[in-house]
């Protein structure tokens, strides 16, 4: 592309063939791309998450309502609802969101879902059928492996849907339907607020499918939408604990390995937590389903390996998670537990406890 001050712009291919593209004006404020009072962009983006969740839900759900509105999916909803299989392709953080999406869709909408690493999917010979729905998730909408996987699905006649943050991105232009995250610019290399937005969008997506497939009553949907509406304020309470988190960082700053454990919906969250520690702190960390700890990782646990366990008392497997904590302690490990504000079961057993407000 050639851009001049007086003559506008000109786009051409490597073979000097001129191309005409439609101009899209992005609604972006200067404040969104500045750090403001924050030391760096990642901290700013972490603190923006409550507003990001509100933006992701705005116009789509409303407390007291029993309907979820996805304007970008209306035309393909009949085909989507009747699909025998949904395949979600993504990379990195988006793959972790996709895995949580699989749990949500299978549990709520009772549909078969497969989650694939786009970087592997594109180089295999996957079995794809015209009735399949392929969902591509990408914050930027420009992830090369995800776009290649999408192109493969399109060649097989699959319905292709995009979930991305960037308006006008290649992913948005290459799919038949989709959903925008509305998370705003994410300048930090490690994704934070976009992951939260992806989770909320996937929750709404799963609820929408459940409603359309008559797997969820209006009253049950109203209850879940009301719970969704409380998320931004719950997240603000978590962010209020930044001083405690800073203290924990000072305590464990010399640790060279971490283990993150979770069960059910919290397993993908554990994976994401480990990835963030690797990306930002350059500390080796691994995420595992808590039940898999005894199948290998437990051999590495000692006093120099902190273990982060997501153990809300509301988890159906809470007693098993407590057993996991005891297994870690028996090997001299330090436990950082994440649980509800009103749960004091773990205080005497764990070195640190991060509390979240129960819904």
């Amino acid at each position: 592309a050639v851009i001049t001050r007086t003559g506008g712009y000109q786009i051409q291919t490597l073979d000097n063939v001129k191309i005409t593209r439609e101009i899209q004006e992005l609604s972006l404020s200067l404040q969104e791309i500045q750090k403001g009072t924050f030391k760096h962009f990642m901290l700013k983006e972490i603190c923006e998450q409550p507003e990001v969740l509100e933006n992701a839900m705005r116009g789509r759900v409303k407390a007291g309502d029993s309907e979820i509105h996805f304007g970008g999916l209306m035309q393909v909803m009949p085909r989507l609802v009747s699909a025998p299989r949904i395949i979600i392709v993504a990379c990195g953080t988006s793959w972790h969101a996709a895995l949580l999406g699989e749990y949500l869709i299978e549990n709520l909408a009772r549909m078969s879902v497969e989650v694939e690493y786009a970087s592997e999917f594109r180089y295999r010979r996957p079995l794809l059928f015209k009735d399949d729905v392929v969902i591509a998730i990408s914050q930027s909408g420009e992830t090369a492996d995800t776009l290649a996987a999408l192109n493969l699905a399109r060649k097989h006649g699959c319905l292709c849907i995009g979930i991305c943050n960037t308006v006008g991105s290649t992913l948005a232009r290459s799919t038949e339907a989709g959903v925008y995250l509305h998370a705003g610019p994410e300048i930090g290399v490690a994704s934070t607020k976009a992951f939260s937005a992806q989770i909320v969008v996937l929750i709404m997506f799963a609820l929408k499918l459940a409603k359309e497939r008559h797997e969820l009553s209006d009253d049950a949907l109203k209850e879940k939408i009301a719970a969704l509406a409380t998320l931004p304020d719950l997240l603000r309470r978590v962010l209020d604990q930044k001083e405690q988190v800073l203290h924990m960082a000072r305590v464990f700053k010399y640790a060279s390995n971490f283990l993150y454990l979770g069960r059910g919906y919290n397993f993908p969250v554990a994976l994401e937590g480990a990835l963030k520690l690797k990306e930002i702190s350059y500390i080796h960390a691994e995420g595992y389903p808590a039940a898999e700890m005894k199948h290998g990782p437990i051999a590495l646990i000692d006093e120099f390996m902190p273990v982060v366990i997501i153990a809300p008392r509301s988890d159906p497997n809470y007693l098993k998670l407590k057993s996991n904590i005891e297994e870690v302690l028996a090997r001299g490990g330090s436990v950082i537990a994440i649980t509800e504000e009103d749960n004091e079961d773990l205080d005497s057993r764990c070195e640190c406890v991060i509390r979240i407000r129960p819904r």
Side-chain angles (χ1 to χ4, degrees):
V2 178
I3 302 175
T4 62
R5 292 182 181 275
T6 56
Y9 71 98
Q10 186 179 93
I11 304 175
Q12 59 188 37
T13 68
L14 295 176
D15 298 321
N16 294 323
V17 177
K18 291 184 179 180
I19 301 174
T20 302
R21 295 284 192 221
E22 181 183 352
I23 297 176
Q24 289 188 325
E25 185 175 341
L26 302 180
S27 55
L28 199 65
S29 68
L30 190 61
Q31 184 181 0
E32 288 182 283
I33 54 175
Q34 291 181 330
K35 286 185 291 186
T37 59
F38 295 94
K39 288 185 178 180
H40 42 76
F41 281 108
M42 187 173 182
L43 184 58
K44 175 176 181 277
E45 288 158 9
I46 288 172
C47 293
E48 286 176 343
Q49 287 178 103
E51 290 73 31
V52 165
L53 298 193
E54 289 171 343
N55 291 337
M57 291 186 281
R58 184 171 291 114
R60 293 169 175 167
V61 294
K62 186 171 65 174
D65 202 354
S66 62
E67 188 57 67
I68 295 175
H69 307 278
F70 277 126
L73 299 178
M74 286 179 60
Q75 298 299 320
V76 300
M77 190 55 68
R79 185 175 172 187
L80 178 56
V81 168
S82 61
R85 180 176 64 158
I86 294 175
I87 301 170
I88 309 178
V89 293
C91 297
T93 287
S94 296
W95 188 89
H96 297 153
L99 188 59
L100 211 158
E102 175 188 14
Y103 290 10
L104 288 164
I105 295 168
E106 287 189 343
N107 183 39
L108 294 170
R110 309 305 296 155
M111 296 181 72
S112 175
V113 183
E114 297 177 14
V115 175
E116 298 270 2
Y117 283 108
S119 54
E120 290 293 318
F121 186 81
R122 64 176 292 194
Y123 293 116
R124 286 176 24 219
R125 294 178 60 196
L127 291 172
L128 293 170
F129 305 98
K130 290 184 178 180
D131 290 337
D132 289 337
V133 173
V134 175
I135 301 174
I137 305 179
S138 168
Q139 186 282 133
S140 66
E142 303 295 344
T143 309
D145 287 325
T146 304
L147 293 174
L150 194 64
N151 187 49
L152 179 62
R154 199 163 48 242
K155 287 179 180 178
H156 283 79
C158 304
L159 171 62
C160 294
I161 294 173
I163 297 177
C164 71
N165 191 38
T166 309
V167 177
S169 63
T170 304
L171 179 63
R173 298 195 310 269
S174 303
T175 48
E176 294 151 83
V179 181
Y180 281 121
L181 301 178
H182 300 304
E186 191 168 60
I187 297 170
V189 174
S191 180
T192 51
K193 64 178 183 177
F195 175 72
S196 299
Q198 286 169 347
I199 296 304
V200 167
V201 165
L202 286 166
I203 291 172
M204 293 189 292
F205 181 71
L207 290 173
K208 178 68 173 178
L209 290 179
K211 171 70 182 298
E212 296 294 326
R213 289 171 57 86
H214 307 292
E215 295 287 347
L216 208 59
S217 68
D218 284 351
D219 289 341
L221 184 56
K222 280 183 183 180
E223 182 181 341
K224 295 187 183 301
I225 288 175
L228 264 180
T230 67
L231 285 181
D233 286 335
L234 294 178
L235 190 45
R236 289 184 179 97
R237 289 178 68 103
V238 174
L239 293 172
D240 286 341
Q241 300 180 64
K242 53 182 176 289
E243 292 302 324
Q244 180 194 355
V245 173
L246 181 59
H247 169 72
M248 288 168 46
R250 289 171 178 152
V251 170
F252 295 105
K253 66 181 178 182
Y254 295 114
S256 54
N257 297 283
F258 271 78
L259 192 62
Y260 283 69
L261 303 176
R263 288 176 181 259
Y265 292 132
N266 290 319
F267 163 50
V269 178
L271 289 175
E272 177 63 10
L275 177 62
K276 289 289 93 78
L277 192 67
K278 281 183 277 198
E279 284 185 293
I280 301 307
S281 303
Y282 306 107
I283 296 173
H284 173 251
E286 297 295 337
Y288 272 89
E292 290 296 307
M293 181 183 68
K294 58 183 175 288
H295 299 296
I298 196 169
L300 300 173
I301 295 174
D302 58 21
E303 64 269 27
F304 303 111
M305 185 182 226
V307 180
V308 180
I309 300 184
I310 307 172
R313 191 162 53 188
S314 56
D315 192 307
N317 294 304
Y318 177 64
L319 293 179
K320 294 183 182 295
L321 287 162
K322 289 181 69 176
S323 296
N324 293 137
I325 291 173
E326 294 301 326
E327 289 171 343
V328 172
L329 295 174
R331 284 155 182 81
S334 299
V335 175
I336 302 169
I338 301 175
T339 191
E340 293 96 339
E341 286 181 355
D342 58 353
N343 182 15
E344 299 179 358
D345 291 355
L346 310 178
D347 291 11
S348 62
R349 307 298 290 154
C350 302
E351 188 163 347
C352 295
V353 179
I354 300 173
R355 303 187 184 280
I356 55 175
R357 184 180 179 182
R359 180 175 60 83

